Amino acid sequence: MTTVNAKSPKGKKLLLFKVLAALFPFVLLVLLEVVLRFFHYGHNTDLFIKDPYDDHYMVMNNYASDKFFSDTANATKGNSELFQIDKAPNTFRIFVLGESTTIGYPYFHNGSFHRWLQYRLNRMYPDKKFEIINLSLTAVNSYTVLDFGKQLAQYQPDAVLIYTGHNEYYGALGVGSTSYIGSNRFLVQTLLKLRTLKVVQLFNNCIKKVSGVFASHKTADRETLMQRMASRQHIQLNSADYQAGINQYDKNMTELCTLLNDEKIPTFLSTVVSNQKDQPPFISEGTGPNSAMGFYKAGQQAFAKADYATAKQDFDKAKELDELRFRAPEAINAIIRKLATEFPEVHLVDTKKEFEQYSPHGIVGNETILEHLHPNLHGYSIMSDAFFQAIQSQHFITDSAETQISFEQLVKEMPITKMDSLIGVIQITNLKTGWPFNQPIPADYKPDTGINGELAARIEAAQAKWADGMDQLFSYYKNSNDKEGALRIMKALNLEFPNEKQYCGNAANIDAILNNYDEAAFYYKKLYQLEPNDQLAINIFQLYLRADEPNKALAYIKNIPQAQQGQAFNILTQIINDKAILAKQPHDTPATGRLVTNYKLLGLADIAAKYSAK
């Protein structure tokens, strides 16, 4: 017989007791979350944080990618490119979203397409400030791009540049990746939000520590990130897994384009390109004529017979049938082109087409691609030109360019060093020794034993930082009296650290010594933007005079001593007028004589002599 306790809760009290009992674990979790936040446990996973060295700037958070990876040991880090919290006038702020190609692998730094683009825009519009902030990461896909893109509107972007699509299967949360959790986007996005909680981070860390006691990582340490991330290595064309990857990309990118379009943010969305001619299929289902390898061999034969149209078709089929999907299928490019027609603010950048134009017979191969999909330096320059042409076609910058920089001029001037190039060579050589390439180091491969090769090897092995290597190169060139080499280093460092005054100043000084007066004025103007003062303005004024550009010098006449301004203004006005006369009548003797006299009055006998000789 059961004894009923008269004091046991009944009715509403019983219901309340049950509700409180059910809520108790959640209350404990909330309290634990509050305590963990109070003691700053774990990591903030917001896209941006305040720069720890200057709280007037924001910078990409090193832990922004953690929530996308099941094992945060695989989480990748991005660039540290600053932008002002209070956006300065006359500033163009451009965010870049994407994957390993977009961040510039294997060169990074100034090898990335966005740095080529920044150098070109800086030179063409020297009075503007371009903040081009690259938020790309290796081993991520459209889930990360979407998440980062959602956070951009509040930071006043003038444009967003996107190159993504190769990692839909093996990037974080991809269909074939080790971090795959399902195709339900609501479930994925809910999990991403949960991973920002300190409680979840605590549980994950505890699990990792416990599993680490029993697990051996000797094998994993030898694996590349590509191998660690790839789980389902056989994904057949048009299979359920294949289609899941296509749908995932379509829905994520449609959501992102809808958001950016609604916010009226100009978005430049690029097609993706990969190696067709010189990258055999990684995994082929058989070797028959209708297999990936069969089509690849047929393509090689057609190419050898100069039947390039057939070769291109066969190489395309080989890539599409490759079951190890490290290269985006053409369905991805079809989605990109569709999105560019559906949204007024989304503009197509046809990088694939431009690569084909620079490839023999329109078939992309080792001429521009290092292995399966990452461009070489020539490829990154082409990629930058594709974005540049798209930006110019949309009249994104309404001001007239002070000077035009052609693609050929860009390639010639871009401050890429031999050390940068060698870092890429070493990275790719090492990458190809592992899965899925499994290629031994070529017998004829000889490491560069000079200072560039030595520094490249140390940087690639994480024994030195890139900036330290550049500083050592600068000292080397300076001690060797190689002013051109030293200048290239300063220009490269200025691109990497645009807010560091010493690099602007050093570049300007060396340019002036080399009589590159226009370029010296450009870097002094950049320095003036960082720290305005009259002496810098006077330097710019004098350099433009020495460059025989009186119209540009006139803008700085207010900074010279007031007693000299009236006479200098009259002389410059006369010089400008006489140069306009000579542009129409090259043999006008009176105008030539006045130019000679006026330049002598300014103390510029060398320029006067130039006109005397005419």
Side-chain angles (χ1 to χ4, degrees):
M1 182 175 180
T2 305
T3 303
V4 178
N5 188 340
K7 293 183 179 181
S8 299
K10 298 178 181 178
K12 292 182 179 180
K13 288 185 178 181
L14 178 61
L15 177 62
L16 178 61
F17 178 81
K18 289 181 178 180
V19 170
L20 290 176
L23 290 176
F24 183 69
F26 296 100
V27 172
L28 281 181
L29 288 174
V30 171
L31 289 175
L32 180 57
E33 178 74 16
V34 171
V35 171
L36 292 173
R37 287 176 182 266
F38 179 80
F39 287 103
H40 305 291
Y41 177 82
H43 302 298
N44 166 19
T45 59
D46 290 344
L47 177 55
F48 297 116
I49 58 172
K50 284 187 177 181
D51 178 41
Y53 304 103
D54 188 340
D55 61 7
H56 293 93
Y57 290 86
M58 301 294 285
V59 68
M60 187 179 183
N61 183 2
N62 271 339
Y63 299 102
S65 67
D66 277 15
K67 61 186 176 182
F68 302 102
F69 293 83
S70 301
D71 184 352
T72 54
N74 292 329
T76 53
K77 311 299 182 187
N79 288 349
S80 295
E81 296 175 323
L82 307 180
F83 63 94
Q84 289 181 294
I85 293 176
D86 298 320
K87 186 178 175 182
N90 217 24
T91 295
F92 282 87
R93 179 171 293 167
I94 302 171
F95 291 110
V96 181
L97 298 171
E99 306 158 357
S100 57
T101 295
T102 324
I103 201 175
Y105 178 87
Y107 307 101
F108 303 102
H109 304 288
N110 293 334
S112 170
F113 91 91
H114 82 293
R115 291 284 175 80
W116 290 79
L117 178 63
Q118 179 142 19
Y119 181 85
R120 194 174 193 176
L121 293 176
N122 283 347
R123 295 305 307 275
M124 290 180 62
Y125 305 94
D127 293 324
K128 305 290 183 186
K129 181 177 182 181
F130 291 94
E131 294 176 336
I132 306 185
I133 303 102
N134 196 328
L135 306 172
S136 306
L137 297 168
T138 58
V140 301
N141 57 31
S142 61
Y143 273 118
T144 303
V145 170
L146 170 61
D147 183 86
F148 286 3
K150 286 179 177 180
Q151 302 178 57
L152 295 181
Q154 61 184 302
Y155 298 104
Q156 301 174 277
D158 292 291
V160 175
L161 314 183
I162 305 174
Y163 183 98
T164 188
H166 283 305
N167 286 357
E168 283 315 296
Y169 295 95
Y170 301 120
L173 302 173
V175 173
S177 75
T178 52
S179 62
Y180 180 63
I181 56 174
S183 298
N184 187 305
R185 294 175 71 249
F186 175 78
L187 173 65
V188 173
Q189 291 171 350
T190 300
L191 178 64
L192 292 178
K193 289 179 181 178
L194 288 173
R195 285 178 176 173
T196 66
L197 297 175
K198 308 294 186 180
V199 170
V200 175
Q201 293 180 28
L202 175 64
F203 290 162
N204 283 341
N205 289 339
C206 290
I207 292 170
K208 282 172 63 177
K209 286 183 178 179
V210 171
S211 60
V213 173
F214 302 100
S216 172
H217 294 282
K218 290 182 179 179
T219 301
D221 288 343
R222 292 195 299 269
E223 294 175 348
T224 64
L225 184 58
M226 290 176 70
Q227 188 169 0
R228 293 201 302 272
M229 291 296 294
S231 176
R232 302 181 206 181
Q233 297 176 9
H234 293 261
I235 300 179
Q236 293 183 346
L237 183 67
N238 297 325
S239 65
D241 284 343
Y242 171 89
Q243 196 56 49
I246 302 301
N247 293 340
Q248 168 185 294
Y249 184 85
D250 192 3
K251 290 177 181 178
N252 284 340
M253 295 308 294
T254 299
E255 182 178 344
L256 177 58
C257 288
T258 301
L259 170 69
L260 296 173
N261 188 75
D262 291 347
E263 294 287 347
K264 306 295 183 186
I265 300 171
T267 301
F268 295 86
L269 179 61
S270 175
T271 54
V272 294
V273 62
S274 57
N275 192 335
Q276 299 166 282
K277 175 170 63 71
D278 298 308
Q279 178 58 63
F282 289 114
I283 295 179
S284 174
E285 184 63 35
T287 57
N290 293 324
S291 68
M293 189 56 72
F295 277 114
Y296 183 75
K297 289 179 178 178
Q300 288 180 310
Q301 292 169 1
F303 192 90
K305 295 176 182 177
D307 183 359
Y308 302 117
T310 301
K312 183 172 175 56
Q313 291 176 359
D314 287 337
F315 286 135
D316 279 340
K317 290 175 183 176
K319 185 201 72 172
E320 293 294 295
L321 289 168
D322 186 353
E323 294 187 12
L324 187 60
R325 298 204 170 271
F326 279 123
R327 294 178 290 178
E330 280 309 299
I332 294 291
N333 279 334
I335 292 168
I336 290 166
R337 292 189 172 94
K338 177 197 71 171
L339 292 172
T341 63
E342 290 180 351
F343 298 95
E345 295 292 341
V346 178
H347 312 292
L348 180 67
V349 180
D350 206 341
T351 298
K352 183 175 186 287
K353 182 179 179 181
E354 186 140 350
F355 267 71
E356 289 172 345
Q357 290 174 350
Y358 282 91
S359 300
H361 315 294
I363 305 175
V364 179
N366 286 347
E367 293 82 9
T368 55
I369 304 286
L370 290 164
E371 13 75 321
H372 59 310
L373 57 84
H374 295 107
N376 56 24
L377 288 171
H378 178 47
Y380 278 119
S381 70
I382 295 169
M383 186 175 170
S384 79
D385 190 56
F387 275 93
F388 173 79
Q389 297 300 338
I391 288 170
Q392 292 295 88
S393 70
Q394 295 299 320
H395 307 289
F396 172 59
I397 305 167
T398 55
D399 293 21
S400 298
E402 183 175 298
T403 185
Q404 293 295 330
I405 303 292
S406 67
F407 178 63
E408 292 73 22
Q409 186 178 351
L410 172 67
V411 171
K412 182 180 178 181
E413 291 185 7
M414 183 67 184
I416 298 288
T417 68
K418 185 178 180 181
M419 183 188 80
D420 293 312
S421 179
L422 290 172
I423 289 171
V425 170
I426 297 169
Q427 291 241 42
I428 290 298
T429 301
N430 290 339
L431 176 74
K432 286 186 173 182
T433 62
W435 182 90
F437 305 95
N438 301 316
Q439 297 177 10
I441 295 176
D444 60 349
Y445 175 74
K446 295 181 180 179
D448 188 293
T449 56
I451 184 170
N452 284 280
E454 176 189 335
L455 290 170
R458 291 179 58 204
I459 292 166
E460 196 278 334
Q463 296 171 355
K465 295 182 178 179
W466 179 84
D468 295 333
M470 296 296 277
D471 285 339
Q472 289 183 51
L473 276 180
F474 177 70
S475 297
Y476 172 80
Y477 290 130
K478 186 177 178 182
N479 294 335
S480 304
N481 200 30
D482 182 348
K483 293 183 177 60
E484 292 285 355
L487 178 61
R488 181 170 287 265
I489 299 300
M490 285 299 104
K491 289 182 176 181
L493 286 168
N494 175 252
L495 268 178
E496 180 82 6
F497 305 107
N499 296 322
E500 293 290 336
K501 292 177 282 188
Q502 61 174 323
Y503 301 134
C504 285
N506 285 343
N509 292 337
I510 299 171
D511 264 325
I513 292 170
L514 293 171
N515 297 332
N516 301 332
Y517 300 124
D518 243 339
E519 289 194 21
F522 168 81
Y523 283 103
Y524 272 134
K525 284 171 75 171
K526 289 298 175 188
L527 188 57
Y528 186 83
Q529 290 173 359
L530 295 173
E531 188 180 40
N533 65 71
D534 282 344
Q535 185 54 56
L536 281 175
I538 292 170
N539 290 347
I540 298 167
F541 173 81
Q542 293 172 341
L543 286 164
Y544 276 138
L545 287 180
R546 290 191 172 279
D548 194 14
E549 298 191 62
N551 53 328
K552 293 180 181 178
L554 200 59
Y556 294 88
I557 200 167
K558 63 183 180 295
N559 298 98
I560 69 174
Q562 192 168 6
Q564 302 172 17
Q565 289 181 18
Q567 182 186 15
F569 178 81
N570 293 333
I571 293 174
L572 286 182
T573 303
Q574 184 66 65
I575 288 174
I576 292 169
N577 291 337
D578 286 329
K579 288 189 70 173
I581 292 171
L582 287 181
K584 296 178 180 179
Q585 304 174 38
H587 302 294
D588 188 294
T589 304
T592 301
R594 287 192 299 270
L595 279 173
V596 171
T597 300
N598 282 325
Y599 269 121
K600 284 182 178 178
L601 287 173
L602 292 173
L604 298 171
D606 53 336
I607 300 179
K610 181 180 75 172
Y611 286 100
S612 296
K614 289 186 177 182

